[in-house]
Every structure is written in structure tokens, then in C-alpha cells.
Amino acid sequence: MRCVIARYPFDLTKIGVLDSMKGVKPEPITGESVTIGRRRYPVKQVGQIVTRQDRRDFTAAEVTRAMARLGFTCHEHPQAAPLLVPTPLQEASALLGSPAPQDA
């Protein structure tokens, strides 16, 4: 499939992308991502490997659009898990070894 990334045309195929990403360790995901095979990669990492261009030359949206057209599953920004911060009373109770009182 022909697609334009960073104003350059590329002929990408699903098999070609799978071969390019084979053996590549995924970086930590902080933004948009794409599932390739059994792994989930940041779209900027995929774009850099597939196009051999610097990550600053293209946008995540361009790569996401191309990967979606090839049939890969694309994901939005990851949802952060809510951080459970203990109250000062719970923290003091934990330090003293007693069970912390739970808020009702």
C-alpha cells in the first residue's frame, strides 16, 4: 500500500512491517501505540524503523493512519491507573505496624 509519511511516499505491506519489527524490543509506551504481532510498540518507534527517518520528521498521526490502513490495531494514549496515596494517618499506622484505618 502506498502511503505518505513526512512528505515522502512509501510502499508498505503488512508482511514488510512485521519483518521490520521482528526482533525489535518495544520501548515504554507513553503515547499512541500499535500492536504488531504479539507486541505493542509506540508509533514513533515503528515509524522510525519502517521509514528509516528521524522521529522528528513525522507525526504519530501519520504513522497511526498508515498502520491502521494496513490492518494493525492502533491504540490511543494509555490510561493512567489512579494513584492511591495514603493519608498521613494511614502512613503513620503502617510505620507503627498496625493495620491502617480505612476511609469509609
Side-chain angles (χ1 to χ4, degrees), residues 22-41:
K22 192 177 292 185
V24 176
K25 183 179 176 187
E27 296 173 357
I29 297 172
T30 58
E32 297 174 5
S33 62
V34 60
T35 301
I36 299 176
R38 296 181 185 173
R39 295 183 174 182
R40 197 164 163 181
Y41 296 90

Side-chain angles (χ1 to χ4, degrees), residues 55-104:
R55 294 179 188 202
R56 295 172 289 184
D57 293 340
F58 55 85
T59 65
E62 290 174 313
V63 179
T64 302
R65 189 178 319 112
M67 295 299 116
R69 286 178 59 194
L70 286 172
F72 293 106
T73 304
C74 299
H75 310 277
E76 295 294 320
H77 298 285
Q79 296 293 328
L83 184 63
L84 298 176
V85 179
T87 64
L89 178 62
Q90 291 171 333
E91 196 172 315
S93 296
L95 289 172
L96 293 173
S98 62
Q102 299 298 321
D103 293 334

